[in-house]
C-alpha cells in the first residue's frame, strides 16, 4: 500500500511543526499557506519563529535542500493541495476577536471553503485548530455542501496539545491523541497517520465531534486554573507571611495534585491560554451554560492582577512613589522561555506599564528582542543581560530563561546602581543572589 499523502493547511506554529513531523514519520507532505513570505521561508527550510529543533527537522525533509528526504514541499495553490492529499490537516489560527471574548473563526472558515471547492476525490479533512464547540458539526455540513466529492470528503477533529518550546517533541511523541470521528474509516485513517506514536504507547482516544473540541478547551482551562490557583495562594502567602514555593512543593507531593504547573509568579500569557479560556466562556454563554464557566472569569482576573502586583512590587522596591527617572532592568520579554513569542506576554506587559508610568525601562531577552521591539518600540533594549542591568535601580526577572539562572549575581552587582532584584517567576535561587549582596524579593515569598 502506498504511504498516505498528507497536506497541512496553515503553516504557523502548529502547522509548520505538524508538517515537518508528518514528513519525519515517513509521509509525503504538502504544506499550504496564504502568506507568500512564509511559503518562501519554509521552502528554504527556514522557520519564521524560534522553536528549538524545528528548523533542523524542516531542513531534513524540505525538497531541494541538499541531503534532505525531499518529502516536504510548500505551495499556495489550493487545487494542488486538494489533488495531492489523502488526509488534509487544517492548522490555521483562531485568535480572539477584537473587542470580544469570542474567537475569530474567519481563518478556519475561509480555509475550509477554499479547500472544499477543490476536493474532487475521497479524502479525510482533519481539523486541528482550537475552535468553539459545535464548529466541527457546522464545518462537516460545509464540506458536504461545497466539495465536488460530496460525502467522499469526510471530516475528523483532532485537537493539538503542543507547547511552544517543546513543539517538535510534543508532536512526534504526543502524550495522547484525540480523534473526533463519525465513521470507522475515519478512525482507521487517523490510526494509520499516527501509527508510530500509537506504537510507542500514546493513548488513542476516540470521541464524537463536540467532545474532541471540548477536550482541548477543557485541558487549557484546567492548566490556567492550576496556575491561577497557585497565584491566588501566593497572594494569601504574601498577606500571611507564608512561602508559596514551599507550599507548592508540599501540596505537589500529593499525586492527585501533582507538582507541575504550580509555579507562582506573574502568571500565564501567550497565544493560547488567555484567549482559549475567554472563547470558552463566550461559547458557553451562547449555549446557555455560562454558569458552568463563571469560575474562569475569576481565573482570568487572578491572572491579570499578577501583572499589576509585579508593578507595585517594583514601585515598593524603589521606595514607593513614582517611577519617574528611575531605571528598571527587565530580564525577559517572551511569555515563556525557549520561545520568541511575545503575544500577551506578562513580562512585556509589566515592562510597558512601568514605562508608561515614567520609568526608564531596559529590556533584555535571549530570543524575543525583535518581536518585543516591534510591539513596544518605545521601551529601551539592551544586547545583553549585563547591559540591561547597568545603572539599574531595580532588576525584574520576568521570564524564566535558563540564561538568567546562570547569571553571575556578583558581576551584575558590580554594574547595577542598586542591588535589588525581584523574581517574578520564582525561578532564581534567593541564597545565591543574597550572598552576592542583593536584596532579593520574589512573588509569594517572605522578604528575607
Ligand atoms: C499551552 C498548553 O500548555 C498547550 O497544551 C496548548 O496546546 C497550548 O497552550 P503554551 O501556550 O505553549 O501551551 O504555554 P504553557 O507552557 O502552557 O505556558 C503558558 C503560560 O503559563 C506561560 O506564560 C508560562 O510562563 C505560564 N506558567 C506555566 C506559569 O505561570 N506557571 C506555571 O507553573 C506554568
Amino acid at each position: 500500500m502506498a504511504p498516505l499523502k498528507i497536506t497541512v493547511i496553515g503553516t504557523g506554529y502548529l502547522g509548520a511543526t505538524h508538517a515537518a513531523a508528518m514528513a519525519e514519520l515517513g509521509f509525503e507532505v504538502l504544506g499550504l499557506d496564504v502568506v507568500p513570505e512564509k511559503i518562501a521561508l519554509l521552502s528554504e527550510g527556514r522557520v519564521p519563529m524560534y522553536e528549538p529543533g524545528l528548523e533542523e527537522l524542516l531542513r531534513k525533509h524540505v525538497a531541494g535542500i541538499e541531503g534532505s528526504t525531499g518529502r516536504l514541499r510548500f505551495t499556495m495553490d489550493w487545487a494542488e493541495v486538494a489533488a495531492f492529499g489523502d488526509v488534509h490537516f487544517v492548522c490555521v489560527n483562531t485568535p480572539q476577536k477584537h473587542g470580544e471574548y469570542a474567537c475569530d473563526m474567519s481563518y478556519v472558515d475561509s480555509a475550509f471553503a477554499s479547500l472544499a471547492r477543490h476536493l474532487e476525490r475521497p479524502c479525510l479533512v482533519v481539523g486541528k485548530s482550537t475552535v468553539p464547540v459545535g464548529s466541527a458539526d457546522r464545518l462537516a455540513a460545509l464540506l458536504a455542501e461545497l466539495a465536488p466529492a460530496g460525502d467522499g470528503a469526510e471530516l475528523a477533529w483532532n485537537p493539538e496539545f503542543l507547547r511552544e518550546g517543546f513543539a517538535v517533541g510534543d508532536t512526534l511523541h504526543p502524550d495522547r491523541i484525540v480523534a473526533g470521528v463519525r465513521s470507522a474509516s475515519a478512525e482507521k485513517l487517523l490510526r494509520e497517520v499516527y501509527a508510530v506514536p500509537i506504537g510507542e504507547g500514546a493513548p488513542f482516544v476516540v470521541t464524537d465531534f463536540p467532545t474532541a473540541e471540548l477536550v482541548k478547551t477543557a485541558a487549557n482551562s484546567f492548566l490556567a486554573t492550576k496556575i491561577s490557583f497557585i497565584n491566588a495562594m501566593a497572594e494569601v502567602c504574601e498577606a500571611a507571611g507564608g512561602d508559596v514555593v514551599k507550599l507548592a512543593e508540599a501540596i505537589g507531593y500529593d499525586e492527585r495534585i501533582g507538582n507541575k504547573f504550580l509555579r507562582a509568579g506573574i502568571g500565564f500569557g501567550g497565544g493560547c491560554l488567555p484567549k482559549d479560556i475567554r472563547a470558552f466562556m463566550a461559547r458557553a454563554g451562547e449555549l446557555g451554560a455560562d454558569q458552568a464557566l463563571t469560575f474562569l472569569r475569576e481565573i482570568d482576573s487572578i491572572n491579570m492582577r499578577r501583572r499589576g502586583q509585579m508593578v507595585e512590587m517594583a514601585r515598593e522596591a524603589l521606595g514607593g512613589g513614582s517611577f519617574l527617572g528611575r531605571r528598571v532592568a527587565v530580564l525577559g520579554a517572551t511569555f515563556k522561555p525557549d520561545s520568541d513569542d511575545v503575544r500577551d506576554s506578562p513580562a512585556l506587559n509589566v515592562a510597558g506599564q512601568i514605562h508608561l508610568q515614567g520609568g526608564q525601562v531596559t529590556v533584555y531577552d535571549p530570543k524575543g528582542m525583535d518581536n518585543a521591539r516591534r510591539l513596544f518600540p518605545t521601551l529601551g533594549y539592551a544586547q545583553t543581560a549585563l547591559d540591561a542591568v547597568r545603572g539599574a535601580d531595580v532588576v525584574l526577572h520576568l521570564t524564566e530563561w535558563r540564561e538568567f539562572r546562570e547569571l553571575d549575581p556578583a558581576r551584575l552587582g558590580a554594574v547595577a546602581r542598586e542591588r535589588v532584584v525581584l523574581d517574578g517567576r520564582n525561578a532564581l535561587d534567593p541564597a545565591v543572589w543574597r550572598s552576592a549582596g542583593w536584596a532579593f524579593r520574589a512573588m509569594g515569598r517572605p522578604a528575607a
Side-chain angles (χ1 to χ4, degrees):
M1 209 169 54
L4 291 172
K5 290 189 166 170
I6 288 181
T7 83
V8 175
I9 291 149
T11 57
Y13 249 108
L14 168 57
T17 312
H18 191 67
M22 288 292 117
E24 175 73 5
L25 293 179
F27 301 108
E28 295 278 321
V29 185
L30 184 58
L32 177 141
D33 206 287
V34 295
V35 181
E37 293 78 22
K38 267 194 202 165
I39 292 299
L41 217 60
L42 289 164
S43 299
E44 292 172 8
R46 294 194 292 145
V47 203
M49 63 268 182
Y50 174 73
E51 181 60 43
L54 180 54
E55 198 148 289
E56 289 78 353
L57 198 65
L58 272 175
R59 299 188 64 81
K60 190 172 163 195
H61 297 295
V62 170
I65 291 182
E66 208 188 310
S68 81
T69 64
R71 288 200 286 262
L72 175 55
R73 289 185 302 114
F74 295 93
T75 182
M76 296 187 66
D77 184 342
W78 288 101
E80 186 189 357
V81 160
F84 179 90
D86 302 304
V87 181
H88 304 280
F89 284 98
V90 179
C91 299
V92 298
N93 61 337
T94 50
Q96 187 176 338
K97 268 191 195 161
H98 196 69
E100 279 181 54
Y101 269 14
C103 103
D104 176 357
M105 285 291 286
S106 61
Y107 303 108
V108 174
D109 290 347
S110 106
F112 267 84
S114 305
L115 177 68
R117 290 196 181 93
H118 294 282
L119 292 175
E120 287 174 6
R121 67 182 182 94
C123 61
L124 186 66
V125 180
V126 186
K128 267 201 167 300
S129 308
T130 301
V131 296
V133 60
S135 302
D137 278 341
R138 183 173 63 74
L139 293 164
L142 187 79
L143 268 187
E145 182 195 325
L146 296 181
D151 289 349
E154 203 186 331
L155 183 71
W157 212 263
N158 169 222
E160 178 59 52
F161 305 103
L162 66 80
R163 297 160 298 167
E164 290 185 19
F166 301 90
V168 171
D170 285 353
T171 307
L172 287 171
H173 312 285
D175 49 18
R176 79 284 209 190
I177 298 158
V178 175
V181 292
R182 279 185 177 166
S183 76
S185 58
E187 179 186 336
K188 187 166 162 280
L189 261 182
L190 280 177
R191 283 188 184 275
E192 204 177 323
V193 169
Y194 292 115
V196 173
I198 293 171
E200 285 173 356
F204 189 84
V205 185
V206 179
T207 71
D208 52 27
F209 283 174
T211 309
E213 293 166 309
L214 283 169
V215 168
K216 171 70 191 206
T217 32
N220 276 357
S221 299
F222 194 84
L223 294 173
T225 302
K226 254 189 132 172
I227 300 170
S228 276
F229 173 82
I230 202 65
N231 280 333
M233 294 306 110
E235 286 183 13
V236 178
C237 281
E238 273 155 30
D243 182 339
V244 75
V245 175
K246 282 280 162 209
L247 182 139
E249 180 195 341
I251 62 172
Y253 288 125
D254 183 332
E255 278 180 15
R256 294 167 303 175
I257 296 172
N259 61 8
K260 298 214 176 89
F261 260 64
L262 285 182
R263 193 197 292 279
I266 55 174
F268 59 81
C272 291
L273 297 191
K275 68 116 177 145
D276 285 354
I277 61 170
R278 291 173 195 155
F280 199 17
M281 283 186 267
R283 184 62 186 139
E286 288 168 7
L287 293 169
D290 43 336
Q291 257 197 334
L293 298 188
T294 43
F295 77 97
L296 285 179
R297 232 172 254 287
E298 202 50 42
I299 299 307
D300 201 5
S301 5
I302 293 169
N303 188 55
M304 296 309 284
R305 195 150 81 212
R306 297 305 279 169
R307 304 171 181 194
Q309 283 160 350
M310 187 72 222
V311 174
E312 290 321 306
M313 207 169 153
R315 189 195 310 283
E316 207 176 286
L318 290 169
S322 159
F323 282 108
L324 261 185
R326 309 307 298 276
R327 297 175 75 143
V328 180
V330 168
L331 301 181
T334 54
F335 84 102
K336 67 188 263 187
D338 296 314
S339 163
D340 64 358
D341 196 343
V342 298
R343 285 178 294 172
D344 200 2
S345 165
L348 258 196
N349 182 302
V350 168
Q353 285 192 50
I354 295 176
H355 164 74
L356 292 172
Q357 293 182 40
Q360 302 207 3
V361 180
T362 306
V363 179
Y364 167 73
D365 187 280
K367 296 283 176 198
M369 300 289 272
D370 291 345
N371 287 338
R373 221 183 250 119
R374 226 166 285 140
L375 200 68
F376 254 113
T378 50
L379 292 176
Y381 292 93
Q383 290 304 317
T384 62
L386 195 73
D387 283 344
V389 169
R390 205 177 295 283
D393 296 307
V394 63
V395 177
L396 273 49
H397 173 250
L398 301 185
T399 312
E400 66 275 34
W401 287 91
R402 171 193 283 268
E403 181 180 328
F404 299 149
R405 289 195 291 283
E406 290 171 352
L407 287 170
D408 175 3
R411 270 191 79 199
L412 295 187
V415 301
R417 184 143 71 189
E418 298 291 340
R419 289 187 209 173
V420 182
V421 62
L422 307 182
D423 188 0
R425 288 296 184 183
N426 276 309
L428 301 177
D429 184 346
V432 170
W433 287 77
R434 284 180 183 140
S435 70
W438 287 79
F440 182 101
R441 278 226 54 199
M443 299 189 96
R445 308 193 79 176

